[in-house]
Amino acid sequence: MQLDEMFVEGKRCPIGIDVTRPAFSWSYKSSLTRSQMQTAYRIIVSTTEENIQHIVWDSGKIASRKSVHILYEGPPLQSRIRYYWKLQFWNQDDQMVESPASYWEMGLLHESDWAARWIGEWDGESFERMALPLFRYDFKLMKSVKRARAYICGLGQYELRLNGNKVSDHVLTPGWTNFDKTCLYNIYDVTDEMNTGDNAVGVMLGNGFFNVTGGRYTKFKHSFGTPTCLVQLEITYTDGTTVTIATNQDWRIAEGPITFSCIYGGEDYDARRNPSGWDLPGYTESDDWRYAAEVDPPLGKLKSEALSSMKVMHTFKPLNITQPSPGVYVADFGQNFSGWVDISIRGQKDSKITLSPAELLKEDGTANQKWTGSPYKFSYILNGDGEEIWSPRFSYYGFRYVQIEGAIPVDSSAPLAEIPSLLRLEGQMIYPDTGLSGHFECSDVILNRTHEMINQAILSNMKSLFTDCPHREKLGWLEQIHLMGPSVAFNYQVEALLTKVMEDIRDAQLPNGMVPTTAPEYVVFSDKWRCFRDSVSWGGAYVLTGWNLFRLYGNTRILTEHYDGMKAYIDYVTESSDQFIVHQGLGDWYDVGENGPGFAQNTPVPHTETAMYYHLVDVFVQIANLLNNKQDAIKYMNLRDKIKSAFNNAFFNQETSRYATGSQTSNAMPLSLGLVDDQYKETVLSHLIEDIRLHGYHTTAGDVGHRYVLLALALNGRSDIIYEMTRQTDHPSYGYQIAHGATTLTEAWDGPTVGKSQNHFMLGHLEEWFYAGLAGIDYRYDPDFQSFTLTIKPSIPVGLEEVKAQHQLLVGTMGVEWKRYNQTQLTLHVRIPANCTADVYVPTFAMDRITENGSKIEAASGIEIIGYEAGYGVLRVTSGHYQFESEVADLPFERN
């Protein structure tokens, strides 16, 4: 039993932790050896690496299988200190294994830890009419440096530079928040950037969401203040003495080369205004430089940013460049993505190149920004100093095409012309440097393409929060967080990002308990448009995201921290309801109807909102029980029963056994969420399937309902219907989007033909079915078991020959591969991580037709036979690798 990785707060060797009780976790390497189990652990924390001396906390030997989210229980941790920790664990044979030392480093825990002062422009001056600022400061280090840290918050966004170089490859930092509640700071190890002798630190600032001033397209205009920064360099010399370099009125400021920057409108850069060497020591300042002013701090509390930082994670080169009109060129990157462009250009001083990104083209072949915020552009004015390389810093967009004006795309060897030569154009995709947690592929080309399309949309909208789209709005609409949460988590390690979502919701929650539909709530919709602000299917993300963090990651601390807020939201909904029916909200937004995408057409809004209300209370009862809040558990259990009764009285027709209008969403949500009484389940399911068939195996559901349509079918053994729906290539379907050139999931089912955004992930619920349906992977943290319990129950629809999937749990990697031969023979390869057990459902028409690695299952180690259940042989297995073979003729999920 071999240790794989050790985590503090979900990260390997993090610096800047400001959680006072960090959580420890560890994973195990995959092994062919079966039945590997942890029986006990011991965590030792010290302030020294060597032999773990100077022990701060010793958990002692704890008899437990737990290996995720074990909270530090020692004395208070200190700011800046690096703590080392070792793990000892015992396996099923009582053999002890000791890890090498790992570490984490604390951030600045107290306001008094900050010697720096917020600096900015002089009082009364505004950056709305001037270029964005540069800050600089020269300092001298008299001794050799052992360690150096940079603590920085630059609002709205910043670029930190030391001795002429950018610090780190992070971009668009820090993450955006409600800056009146929370401001994020970052910590960098800058030891290697420090020189003995002269040094210089420089900061560039951008507006970000902190200061949305307009000037071109904007979704909204709002300012928390003008750009400001807080920088603290802490240097430790090799002799143990220290020095601190901190922002104050001695720092210098000048207007920089970024003459326009808006998170919505784009960015303009004038290279003639860039003071060469401004971030180097010994720079001779012009008269443009003056002393910075100490300014009032933002209202938000400083908090260390726990997210994986955003980076340029992928690059695209143009597939082709066309010239739709004289002097206008259009580059096609072949893929819709979110980010910016990076260019290399050569030309005469004062020349200007304008780059207009777009998702679609007009009929004349030029950029079309109709649905995604116009005008948006990047522009660059040349300084004429040879080859110039540039990319934006503080604004990004979602696009596939870039329209080029003011330059000619040429080969780098072309002679200098009067019109600037664009030597290189590259698209750079930006998203957090978060780890992959899953992989899926199958024998079906359309399914693989759909998987790619959904994931491109997920990554395009993964920033410091999950946005709805990377261009027109960039807002954190909350319904997609819980509805698409499992789909995202199957593919990416998003615990930290979901935790920030919870914090954003807490900051957005109103005093009366209401959770608005977006967090941070930058746009406050008026009473006239109340449904856009107050909708249970959106606000309910507070409860459901917290539950997902526990279920998927074993994170109980998040439930404790947000328990009162979640409870307050449910109480708000209860008080706002009419006899437990919720009338207000957006319902099944963007469903399929004659009026085109938009407001719900097929299902009454009160039906969808009340079903979600029931779901929230049902989950909250489980949370209350988990946290041993027994009185609340009883109270909300009674509330849950009242909601169910009111819902069925209002929306269920006993004569027809249909809910509400009988739409797909109307029947699917009650089926999925436990609102249907047992005697009606089969009939309600048959009505759902009947409606799908009447619509030619197409969905009519929207943003909220579609997930529950898929869940209702999958949970009731009808993945064959889902698979048939994926075969369709006419409207509405994923196949329709692919057939019409979509490279990311689009906002509307109509895909590219209806316009709208071409980069939304809100309808990507099929991704969950790929893993949980076809591969059959289901897992959840079980506090009684003190580890993850797994279920593997694959669906084998006719026409699909092979599926491969794997998922990285916090404890290790699980995997499922199945392949069908001659329609009757099946192989099923299952990989179970150490310290886990799984119930494996092997498709077969008889138990005696199952073998494992060529032998009868009765003789195999690590397998307990549970029985036969509706086309599956049910086996309980321990950790290890298993190779099952079975016969699969006449399976129930192959029904027509």
Side-chain angles (χ1 to χ4, degrees):
M1 193 170 180
Q2 294 181 311
L3 185 70
D4 190 9
E5 295 183 299
M6 300 166 64
F7 307 97
V8 176
E9 288 297 304
K11 293 185 177 181
R12 307 168 191 87
C13 303
I15 66 172
I17 296 295
D18 65 0
V19 177
T20 56
R21 294 179 64 199
F24 301 98
S25 303
W26 54 90
S27 63
Y28 291 105
K29 291 183 179 179
S30 180
S31 173
L32 294 173
T33 303
R34 296 181 180 179
S35 304
Q36 292 187 334
M37 201 69 65
Q38 174 188 297
T39 58
Y41 70 84
R42 179 188 179 195
I43 296 171
I44 305 169
V45 176
S46 169
T47 54
T48 59
E49 181 177 9
E50 299 80 10
N51 301 318
I52 300 292
Q53 298 172 351
H54 301 95
I55 292 176
V56 175
W57 176 59
D58 186 341
S59 71
K61 183 178 180 181
I62 307 293
S64 172
R65 297 178 59 179
K66 191 171 184 180
S67 64
V68 300
H69 278 276
I70 297 170
L71 299 183
Y72 171 81
E73 298 286 356
L77 299 168
Q78 304 299 309
S79 298
R80 307 176 178 87
I81 300 298
R82 173 172 289 192
Y83 292 93
Y84 297 88
W85 69 293
K86 274 192 175 183
L87 168 71
Q88 295 174 346
F89 68 86
W90 286 260
N91 68 6
Q92 68 280 353
D93 299 321
D94 203 33
Q95 295 173 326
M96 189 271 280
V97 176
E98 183 171 281
S99 75
S102 186
Y103 69 86
W104 82 95
E105 190 174 299
M106 299 301 292
L108 303 182
L109 301 179
H110 312 289
E111 187 176 345
S112 59
D113 291 325
W114 289 92
R117 297 290 179 264
W118 288 93
I119 59 173
E121 187 54 270
W122 293 104
D123 293 341
E125 295 190 38
S126 170
F127 285 115
E128 291 187 28
R129 297 180 301 278
M130 61 176 63
L132 288 168
L134 304 176
F135 297 90
R136 70 178 311 275
Y137 185 75
D138 282 337
F139 61 97
K140 184 169 290 189
L141 300 178
M142 307 308 296
K143 310 171 190 177
S144 59
V145 174
K146 178 182 179 181
R147 176 180 124 152
R149 296 289 182 268
Y151 303 87
I152 176 171
C153 179
L155 301 176
Q157 295 164 346
Y158 69 86
E159 180 175 295
L160 176 64
R161 304 184 68 83
L162 276 171
N163 297 323
N165 298 310
K166 181 185 174 185
V167 174
S168 89
D169 55 357
H170 302 171
V171 299
L172 296 175
T173 49
W176 42 97
T177 57
N178 177 344
F179 300 101
D180 283 344
K181 298 289 185 68
T182 302
C183 297
L184 301 176
Y185 72 93
N186 303 104
I187 305 96
Y188 301 100
D189 182 346
V190 292
T191 306
D192 293 340
E193 281 78 15
M194 293 297 175
N195 299 324
T196 301
D198 294 331
N199 292 266
V201 55
V203 179
M204 303 180 73
L205 288 184
N207 286 311
F209 279 96
F210 186 73
N211 187 39
V212 183
T213 61
R216 292 181 194 153
Y217 166 77
T218 51
K219 172 65 179 178
F220 65 92
K221 291 179 67 174
H222 177 76
S223 179
F224 292 88
T226 53
T228 179
C229 68
L230 184 77
V231 183
Q232 188 159 303
L233 302 176
E234 298 188 355
I235 298 105
T236 302
Y237 293 125
T238 53
D239 64 4
T241 58
T242 62
V243 63
T244 298
I245 309 298
T247 45
N248 56 30
Q249 72 276 8
D250 294 331
W251 284 49
R252 305 285 281 172
I253 183 174
E255 295 177 25
I258 300 178
T259 57
F260 175 86
S261 183
C262 180
I263 197 69
Y264 289 109
E267 191 161 303
D268 298 342
Y269 188 96
D270 187 343
R272 301 169 303 179
R273 299 170 55 93
N274 184 34
S276 179
W278 70 275
D279 52 0
L280 288 170
Y283 168 71
T284 302
E285 295 179 353
S286 68
D287 292 339
D288 295 331
W289 289 88
R290 56 201 184 278
Y291 285 108
E294 291 189 14
V295 298
D296 291 336
L299 297 178
K301 181 180 178 181
L302 281 170
K303 183 182 185 301
S304 175
E305 185 167 30
L307 302 175
S308 298
S309 294
M310 282 183 282
K311 299 181 180 180
V312 173
M313 298 295 293
H314 194 85
T315 59
F316 299 94
K317 297 186 183 302
L319 298 182
N320 61 73
I321 298 178
T322 60
Q323 187 178 6
S325 63
V328 177
Y329 301 87
V330 175
D332 178 5
F333 291 105
Q335 174 63 56
N336 196 332
F337 63 97
S338 73
W340 53 45
V341 293
D342 185 78
I343 65 171
S344 174
I345 191 168
R346 185 175 58 186
Q348 297 179 355
K349 184 178 181 180
D350 303 330
S351 300
K352 179 179 179 180
I353 179 175
T354 300
L355 304 163
S356 302
E359 292 191 305
L360 298 171
L361 299 179
K362 299 177 183 177
E363 291 185 2
D364 63 1
T366 58
N368 184 358
Q369 293 182 342
K370 178 181 178 182
W371 293 106
T372 52
S374 177
Y376 185 101
K377 63 183 178 180
F378 303 118
S379 73
Y380 182 85
I381 297 177
L382 284 73
N383 64 16
D385 188 16
E387 183 176 340
E388 303 176 42
I389 298 173
W390 175 76
S391 63
R393 285 176 170 85
F394 304 124
S395 187
Y396 75 96
Y397 198 73
F399 62 101
R400 171 177 173 170
Y401 306 95
V402 169
Q403 182 167 302
I404 306 158
E405 297 172 85
I408 300 174
V410 297
D411 183 84
S412 59
S413 61
L416 183 65
E418 182 176 342
I419 298 177
S421 301
L422 183 61
L423 309 177
R424 181 182 56 83
L425 174 66
E426 183 176 88
Q428 297 187 333
M429 186 174 185
I430 297 167
Y431 54 88
D433 187 13
T434 186
L436 289 173
S437 63
H439 173 80
F440 173 86
E441 62 179 303
C442 69
S443 56
D444 188 289
V445 174
I446 293 179
L447 294 187
N448 288 336
R449 186 68 195 92
T450 304
H451 167 69
E452 294 168 3
M453 185 172 68
I454 292 171
N455 275 272
Q456 282 292 330
I458 291 172
L459 291 175
S460 289
N461 285 286
M462 191 189 295
K463 296 294 181 285
S464 65
L465 49 86
F466 287 104
T467 63
D468 60 326
C469 58
H471 31 61
R472 184 184 71 229
E473 294 195 15
K474 298 182 170 117
L475 297 178
W477 290 91
L478 292 176
E479 92 291 0
Q480 59 191 359
I481 309 302
H482 68 87
L483 293 167
M484 281 293 294
S487 294
V488 175
F490 269 126
N491 290 288
Y492 308 104
Q493 296 173 4
V494 290
E495 182 183 358
L497 191 48
L498 293 180
T499 298
K500 180 180 179 291
V501 168
M502 294 291 287
E503 294 166 351
D504 287 338
I505 294 174
R506 178 177 57 196
D507 286 353
Q509 188 172 29
L510 274 60
N512 65 358
M514 193 194 90
V515 173
T517 52
T518 59
E521 191 185 23
Y522 296 132
V523 178
V524 178
F525 294 98
S526 65
D527 289 341
K528 178 182 178 182
W529 300 104
R530 184 185 165 197
C531 62
F532 279 104
R533 192 186 191 202
D534 185 5
S535 180
V536 179
S537 300
W538 276 248
Y542 201 11
V543 177
L544 299 178
T545 302
W547 186 239
N548 277 337
L549 279 163
F550 164 72
R551 189 173 64 88
L552 304 179
Y553 300 104
N555 189 334
T556 53
R557 185 180 65 201
I558 200 77
L559 299 178
T560 301
E561 290 180 352
H562 295 272
Y563 184 84
D564 290 341
M566 294 186 287
K567 180 179 174 180
Y569 178 62
I570 290 175
D571 290 347
Y572 165 79
V573 177
T574 303
E575 292 168 6
S576 303
S577 69
D578 179 9
Q579 297 296 308
F580 310 109
I581 300 298
V582 180
H583 293 279
Q584 176 66 39
L586 288 169
D588 194 18
W589 177 252
Y590 258 55
D591 60 356
V592 181
E594 295 180 357
N595 297 327
F599 289 98
Q601 303 171 67
N602 305 319
T603 310
V605 166
H607 166 283
T608 306
E609 297 294 305
T610 306
M612 193 61 70
Y613 171 36
Y614 171 85
H615 184 34
L616 300 185
V617 177
D618 184 37
V619 167
F620 190 73
V621 169
Q622 299 175 68
I623 294 172
N625 278 318
L626 177 69
L627 299 182
N628 205 31
N629 294 326
K630 298 303 182 185
Q631 288 187 336
D632 277 351
I634 294 171
K635 173 184 175 181
Y636 289 96
M637 192 182 304
N638 292 332
L639 174 61
R640 179 187 63 189
D641 294 342
K642 291 176 181 177
I643 300 168
K644 181 175 181 178
S645 178
F647 180 87
N648 281 307
N649 288 338
F651 301 112
F652 185 60
N653 186 325
Q654 291 189 10
E655 294 182 3
T656 63
S657 293
R658 287 181 168 88
Y659 279 87
T661 59
S663 68
Q664 292 175 22
T665 296
S666 293
N667 287 321
M669 289 191 73
L671 275 171
S672 303
L673 299 177
L675 282 157
V676 183
D677 291 335
D678 289 343
Q679 66 265 35
Y680 299 113
K681 285 182 179 177
E682 283 297 324
T683 308
V684 174
L685 176 65
S686 68
H687 291 321
L688 170 62
I689 294 172
E690 177 187 15
D691 190 85
I692 293 171
R693 286 175 170 156
L694 285 173
H695 286 89
Y697 288 94
H698 291 90
T699 188
T700 61
D703 181 18
V704 177
H706 185 58
R707 179 179 185 234
Y708 297 107
V709 170
L710 299 179
L711 281 178
L713 293 170
L715 293 173
N716 288 282
R718 297 313 305 262
S719 281
D720 59 311
I721 300 294
I722 299 175
Y723 185 65
E724 188 64 29
M725 294 168 75
T726 69
R727 306 292 81 224
Q728 310 310 311
T729 57
D730 55 337
H731 166 71
S733 65
Y734 296 105
Y736 180 86
Q737 296 184 33
I738 295 170
H740 288 81
T743 60
T744 50
L745 191 65
T746 62
E747 180 179 13
W749 280 114
D750 307 57
T753 59
V754 76
K756 306 289 185 182
S757 163
Q758 302 298 296
N759 200 334
H760 263 62
F761 75 103
M762 70 180 189
L763 292 174
H765 311 110
L766 192 68
E767 187 69 17
E768 183 178 2
W769 178 72
F770 290 152
Y771 286 92
L774 291 180
I777 294 174
D778 183 29
Y779 67 98
R780 61 199 61 214
Y781 184 77
D782 185 338
D784 296 327
F785 188 63
Q786 297 182 321
S787 187
F788 290 90
T789 57
L790 318 178
T791 301
I792 296 174
K793 189 177 182 181
S795 298
I796 321 290
V798 171
L800 191 62
E801 302 300 324
E802 186 175 9
V803 165
K804 296 180 181 179
Q806 69 176 35
H807 179 65
Q808 179 72 39
L809 299 171
L810 285 181
V811 293
T813 303
M814 67 180 300
V816 176
E817 297 183 18
W818 61 257
K819 189 171 184 178
R820 189 170 183 170
Y821 302 89
N822 303 322
Q823 297 300 311
T824 60
Q825 302 297 315
L826 181 79
T827 62
L828 174 63
H829 180 210
V830 173
R831 179 167 42 154
I832 307 300
N835 208 32
C836 293
T837 61
D839 286 348
V840 179
Y841 288 69
V842 181
T844 186
F845 67 86
M847 286 295 294
D848 61 3
R849 300 305 176 97
I850 303 174
T851 60
E852 197 280 313
N853 203 24
S855 301
K856 293 183 178 180
I857 53 176
E858 293 85 350
S861 66
I863 298 178
E864 176 188 355
I865 299 174
I866 303 300
Y868 186 78
E869 181 181 309
Y872 292 95
V874 186
L875 310 172
R876 184 158 295 153
V877 304
T878 58
S879 68
H881 293 214
Y882 299 84
Q883 182 79 32
F884 298 104
E885 296 85 25
S886 66
E887 293 186 44
V888 293
D890 302 321
L891 291 179
F893 37 77
E894 295 182 348
R895 294 171 290 192
N896 293 322

